[in-house]
Amino acid sequence: LSSSSRVLPECFVIGVVRSGTTSLYHYLGQHPCIASSAYDELGYFDDNFHLGINWYKSLFPTKSTKNKIIKKYGKFLTYDVTPFYIYNPLVARRISESFPNAKIISNLRNPIDRAYSNYNDTLEMGDIKIPFEEVVQIAMDEIDKNKSKLNDEAYIVDTFYENVLARGFYADQLKIWFEKFQKKQLLIIPSEDLAQKTDEILSKVFEFLDLPYFKIKDFTKHNKREYLPMKNETRELLIEFYQPYNEKLYSLI
């Protein structure tokens, strides 16, 4: 009912899972020119698109809030953080059609560490009970077996990128975003830098968003997990596995 009095986002944080996107959601909301959405992982452009634009608008600040912030600070911005957007070509098309001038941000984490973090997350939730080494072998076999299906968009989104290793194929996921948006509209953040040099990275983010520098007060890392280190031989195996995919990413960005 309140949708007509609300604004829509100008910025989208599209991924990746287990890369600090929840922390970034909380960091961005501390800037005086930025008002956050109701929560992160809205998922409107994929799972919740059927709920309609008025549902989506209801999750964002009011026009009154926007006007107050502009009056006080000169600029205003709100944003959508959903780390599953990155690997869905339909999402890229939908956002580019509705928001052609949008700013797109993606956290990218070392794909090996991202996979291991994702594994430990599912292990903690009880969704998986086998060792990581076994998960890696199963994932590699599935990727090799299903290469012929990668032209099927539904398969890619619903099945392929549920694979814990395939989620680290960043170049393949970002390709359509680079096709749909100008390079100046895209910002890639190493999640390791976001964690270790937070203020420096946020300075780059605010500059990218055309906002004045602001030093946030709360640097709390959200959804942080503690777990046993990966076996060295497993890491060596994955370094070799990801090498060609990482080289594609370097070429792209």
Side-chain angles (χ1 to χ4, degrees):
L1 292 174
S2 67
S3 63
S4 63
S5 67
R6 294 182 180 273
V7 298
L8 284 167
E10 301 89 9
C11 170
F12 299 86
V13 179
I14 61 172
V16 298
V17 174
R18 304 304 304 159
S19 70
T21 55
T22 300
S23 294
L24 183 58
Y25 168 83
H26 289 282
Y27 298 156
L28 289 173
Q30 294 180 55
H31 193 290
C33 296
I34 300 177
S36 62
S37 57
Y39 50 88
D40 65 332
E41 300 191 9
L42 302 178
Y44 171 65
F45 289 95
D46 48 21
D47 293 347
N48 294 318
F49 198 68
H50 65 286
L51 296 177
I53 193 66
N54 287 342
W55 174 85
Y56 189 48
K57 278 187 171 182
S58 74
L59 303 172
F60 291 98
T62 61
K63 293 175 182 176
S64 173
T65 298
K66 175 181 178 178
N67 292 336
K68 285 177 183 176
I69 290 176
I70 290 175
K71 188 175 181 180
K72 188 171 183 180
Y73 298 106
K75 292 188 176 183
F76 170 86
L77 184 139
T78 188
Y79 56 100
D80 176 349
V81 176
T82 303
F84 306 99
Y85 283 168
I86 188 171
Y87 60 75
N88 194 326
L90 180 58
V91 169
R93 290 195 293 270
R94 283 171 171 169
I95 292 178
S96 67
E97 288 166 6
S98 299
F99 304 92
N101 299 315
K103 297 290 183 77
I104 309 295
I105 298 173
S106 181
N107 294 0
L108 295 186
R109 184 178 184 180
N110 179 321
I112 299 170
D113 297 325
R114 195 226 63 82
Y116 193 50
S117 178
N118 210 159
Y119 163 77
N120 279 283
D121 202 31
T122 55
L123 188 69
E124 188 177 295
M125 291 187 292
D127 294 338
I128 197 167
K129 295 180 180 178
I130 60 176
F132 184 58
E133 293 70 31
E134 192 173 334
V135 168
V136 165
Q137 195 55 60
I138 292 170
M140 285 183 173
D141 291 344
E142 286 180 349
I143 290 167
D144 187 57
K145 183 175 67 176
N146 295 307
K147 285 178 180 177
S148 62
K149 299 180 182 179
L150 296 184
N151 290 324
D152 182 340
E153 203 167 276
Y155 170 77
I156 289 174
V157 174
D158 298 334
T159 304
F160 187 70
Y161 284 127
E162 290 300 310
N163 182 300
V164 72
L165 297 186
R167 286 253 177 116
F169 296 170
Y170 303 140
D172 294 340
Q173 297 166 32
L174 284 168
K175 186 172 179 285
I176 189 169
W177 296 93
F178 276 79
E179 291 171 356
K180 293 294 181 181
F181 296 91
Q182 297 179 54
K183 206 164 188 177
K184 65 181 181 180
Q185 292 176 260
L186 295 149
L187 179 66
I188 308 299
I189 302 172
S191 72
E192 294 81 3
D193 288 351
L194 180 65
Q196 296 163 16
K197 299 183 284 187
T198 310
D199 188 54
E200 181 182 324
I201 292 300
L202 287 177
S203 177
K204 292 180 180 178
V205 171
F206 296 146
E207 182 181 0
F208 171 70
L209 296 175
D210 196 26
L211 297 176
Y213 169 75
F214 180 78
K215 189 176 181 68
I216 68 169
K217 294 179 180 178
D218 185 359
F219 289 93
T220 302
K221 294 177 175 61
H222 294 261
N223 290 346
K224 189 178 179 182
R225 301 281 192 272
E226 299 291 340
Y227 38 79
L228 295 172
M230 188 188 312
K231 291 181 179 178
N232 288 337
E233 55 268 31
T234 306
R235 182 173 291 278
E236 291 298 322
L237 173 68
L238 289 173
I239 287 172
E240 183 178 352
F241 173 77
Y242 274 118
Q243 183 177 345
Y245 299 100
N246 288 342
E247 287 174 355
K248 282 176 69 177
L249 177 66
Y250 302 151
S251 297
L252 180 68
I253 66 174

